[in-house]
Amino acid sequence: MSADVILQALPHLGHQALFGAVAAAGFGVLFNFGPAMLIWCGVAGAFALAVRTAGQDLGWALEAASFAAALATSCSAILVRRWLGAAAGAVALAGCIPMVPGAFFGHALLGFYAVTTVEPSEAVAPVIDALQYMLRVGFTLGAIGAGLAIPTHLIRNPDY
């Protein structure tokens, strides 16, 4: 990969990381984290979205890139467990929540609603489209969950 390609990808990667940090910190607020943990949530979200974006820029599928990002985020949370304490797993989770493909879920729901407006003979295409979107959502959620769970189960630590 040439230096020009890397320099062109940096603004896109930074954009995704910035908004991943904002979203993850927002989920940290919903999880009732304190101010110090919100910063860690933002770091986890920025890292997760940066890894996923880099994977997708390399041509990986959304599901594969999400798995790699969740795995990297969970491993990173384990590595900094000294500073995070018992909240390390929750911080990793908050960092990965912005990767949930809400737009795909919205398309799936709208596709299923669209089936009610067409003739039964014309309903096949909207149902297939909606099912494809729903499967992408399900596989992505499964990939994120597996990426978060695998390091935790491989490292049997009672503090984590």
Side-chain angles (χ1 to χ4, degrees), residues 12-36:
H12 175 62
L13 193 66
H15 175 265
Q16 293 295 319
L18 172 69
F19 287 102
V22 170
F27 285 110
V29 170
L30 291 176
F31 290 169
N32 226 10
F33 284 136

Side-chain angles (χ1 to χ4, degrees), residues 120-139:
S121 62
E122 298 171 5
V124 173
V127 167
I128 296 295
D129 287 341
L131 284 174
Q132 285 176 331
Y133 281 118
M134 191 61 80
L135 285 172
R136 299 272 325 254
V137 169
F139 289 142

Side-chain angles (χ1 to χ4, degrees), residues 58-87:
L58 291 172
W60 297 0
L62 173 67
E63 298 83 357
S66 297
F67 173 74
L71 187 69
T73 304
S74 184
C75 288
S76 298
I78 289 170
L79 290 175
V80 296
R81 179 178 44 218
R82 165 185 305 140
W83 298 290
L84 296 177

